[in-house]
Structures are given as structure tokens and as C-alpha cells.
Amino acid sequence: MTAAAPDVPALLVEGVSFAYGTQPALDSVSFTIPSGEIFGLLGPNGGGKTTLFRLLTTLLPLSSGRIAVCGIDVKSAPAAARRCFGVTFQSPSLDVRLSVRENLTHQGHLYGLRGTPLQARIDAVVGWLGLSERLTQTADQLSGGLKRRVEIAKSLLHAPRVLILDEPSTGLDPGARLDLWQVLDRVRRQEGVTILVTTHLMDEAERCDRLGILDRGRLVALGTPDELRNSISGESLIITTRDAEGLAAQIRERFALEPQRLGDQLRLESSQGLDLLRDLVTAFSGRIETISLTKSTLEDVFIDRTGHRFWDAP
């Protein structure tokens, strides 16, 4: 597969909207991913990640907007677009009764690969992924992390320019998740592959070059993790109180600040967080049950852009 021209993005999403009947799932989502980037789509369940994943991989028909992979329009040329990307699904797709090599061989046949070229490609891919010693093992003998590596190997056999992974670390322990991300970075360097990952995990999002944050079908933020964190004030205070509405009114009156209401909690941003914490405790010690001060995180970015916590139901 030849690489796209340098000025053609690996992936283009332009004004994409989608609805299931009368229920909107995506609302005019737009972003581009340049070649060689690891891009993350971060969002809670129900935020629109799965719908966008299905549109990107041609599992759903595109009804509004435009998607192009390496310059190939997925609506007008879906078969050609599919040649340009590899997909690792969230659900397992290995035949656990077959060996690793047999799983990969059958996958290669789906792309018309045969004989010596296919076996050479398998050997190269498993070498990058640290699977060379596992080729004769059946899939049911592998750990969850190794199975996920085999899934990725299947996605790479036809030398795609874009690798799309849907919640790739689902079910993996923290050590296996860290190992998976080291593998993805190695694949990016070895093959020059552009990688798109959907995730609901903040620590995974931190490992991406850039992020798009989805909520209720809208792209509410776009940028590097550092850019997104720096887009809000440096520190966040979370206050737990029995009277969130009353305390919010008093904070507005006394400090000319606008707290965000999060259930029985209030959230404030400040570049002078420690000073504000001291002043709040001094002024409202009898009203505050707990108060915490943290550096701004991606969770804070999400709250700032949406007005609710990451896991709160819309």
C-alpha cells in the first residue's frame, strides 16, 4: 500500500452527523489526523465514539458529511478505503482453537495474501509485536494482553496506512495496558502507521499525540493533552457541601466567581488555587464538608466543556 501524499491527511472527518431514527448520535463532527500521529477519541459510553468508529470503518452508511482515508472517500469508494485501514475491534475475533500462525494465515487469505509473501509478512509483523515465540501456541493459551497483540497483528497484515482500534485495552490489567501502548508506539515507528484509538480511559488519552473529546455526539474539545489542560486555569477546587446551591450563591457574591454545580459538589478553577482554598475555608468553614485542590486534568477539561462529570448520565 503506497503512502498518501504529504499534504493529504491520513484521516479526514468533515461535518459528520448521524441519527438512529429520531435519536441523534453525532452532531457535525469535524477533525483531521495527519500521517504518523496517534490520535485519541475520548468520551464516555454513549458519547458517540462507537457510532463514529462504525462510520469510519464503513460498518454504517455515511448519511451526512464526509470521511476520507488517505484521500479516499469512504462513501464513494468504500472498498478502496478499506484497503487503506486496519481495524482492531473491541470484541475478540480470534479462533481460540487455532494457533497464532493459523489465525494470521486465515486473516491474510481474506486480503488475497498467499504462500511465501504471506508467511514473510506474518513473520515481520509478529516480530514487531513480540509474538515470534508464540506462533505455534493456540490462542486459548495466551494471556489477554498477548491476545490483543495478535488482534493488532491481524489488522496489520495487509500493510494499512491507518490503524483504527476500538477500546483496545478493554479487559486488560494495568500492566498489559502499558505494554499495549508500547506496542502501538513501536508499530507507529516501524510501519509509519497513523493510529486512531477510541477510549474512555483518561490515562490512555494522555498517551495520544492529540485528542478529540466527544460528548453527546458533539466534538467539545480538540488538541494535544497539554493544550487541553492549559486551556483552563491551572488548578481545580472541588467542594462538597450539604447546600450546593446556597454556597454557590455566596461564593458568587463574595468572590465574584461562578462555581460549576456537580450534584452535591461545586467546582472552581483558579490560577491561585491555594490562596482561594484558604479564603474559602476561612469564609465558609461551617458550610464546607470537604475541599480538594488538584492540578487541572483532562477530566477537568471535560467538565469545563460539558458542564457535567465524565461518567454522569446526560
Side-chain angles (χ1 to χ4, degrees), residues 81-226:
R82 283 193 288 269
R83 283 276 176 183
C84 289
F85 61 74
V87 183
T88 301
F89 295 96
Q90 181 177 349
S91 301
S93 65
L94 299 181
D95 189 324
V96 296
R97 297 164 297 180
L98 299 182
S99 70
V100 171
R101 185 179 289 279
E102 288 168 337
N103 269 283
L104 296 176
T105 298
H106 287 300
Q107 178 72 15
H109 291 168
L110 296 177
Y111 284 95
L113 302 173
R114 293 284 190 280
T116 300
L118 172 57
Q119 296 310 313
R121 179 64 180 172
I122 288 173
D123 291 339
V125 170
V126 298
W128 306 330
L129 300 180
L131 293 168
S132 298
E133 304 300 318
R134 309 283 182 172
L135 281 170
T136 59
Q137 287 185 268
T138 56
D140 61 358
Q141 295 177 297
L142 303 178
S143 67
L146 290 174
K147 287 177 180 176
R148 185 58 71 184
R149 288 199 223 175
V150 179
E151 302 268 9
I152 295 171
K154 288 175 61 179
S155 305
L156 292 171
L157 284 178
H158 62 295
R161 303 314 313 156
V162 178
L163 179 61
I164 304 174
L165 305 102
D166 186 23
E167 304 278 1
S169 62
T170 296
L172 301 185
D173 61 50
R177 283 167 48 196
L178 176 60
D179 179 66
L180 173 67
W181 277 89
Q182 291 172 343
V183 164
L184 292 179
D185 187 58
R186 191 181 313 135
V187 167
R188 189 245 300 255
R189 287 185 281 108
Q190 292 280 359
E191 283 277 88
V193 173
T194 303
I195 298 175
L196 169 65
V197 176
T198 71
T199 184
H200 61 270
L201 300 173
M202 296 291 176
D203 62 326
E204 285 197 344
E206 291 281 1
R207 297 179 179 278
C208 298
D209 298 322
R210 283 194 311 138
L211 291 171
I213 300 180
L214 280 172
D215 180 58
R216 308 182 199 187
R218 296 182 300 111
L219 189 70
V220 298
L222 182 67
T224 69
D226 284 343

Side-chain angles (χ1 to χ4, degrees), residues 239-269:
I239 303 167
T240 303
T241 175
R242 294 180 181 178
D243 180 17
E245 186 173 348
L247 182 57
Q250 290 184 305
I251 291 173
R252 279 193 292 268
E253 180 179 351
R254 180 152 183 171
F255 294 100
L257 296 172
E258 185 61 47
Q260 280 185 302
R261 177 82 179 271
L262 303 170
D264 62 352
Q265 294 182 324
L266 300 175
R267 176 181 173 274
L268 290 160
E269 294 176 13

Side-chain angles (χ1 to χ4, degrees), residues 227-241:
E227 287 171 347
L228 294 176
R229 285 191 300 271
N230 292 337
S231 69
I232 59 178
S233 298
E235 295 171 312
S236 297
L237 292 99
I238 300 293
I239 303 167
T240 303
T241 175

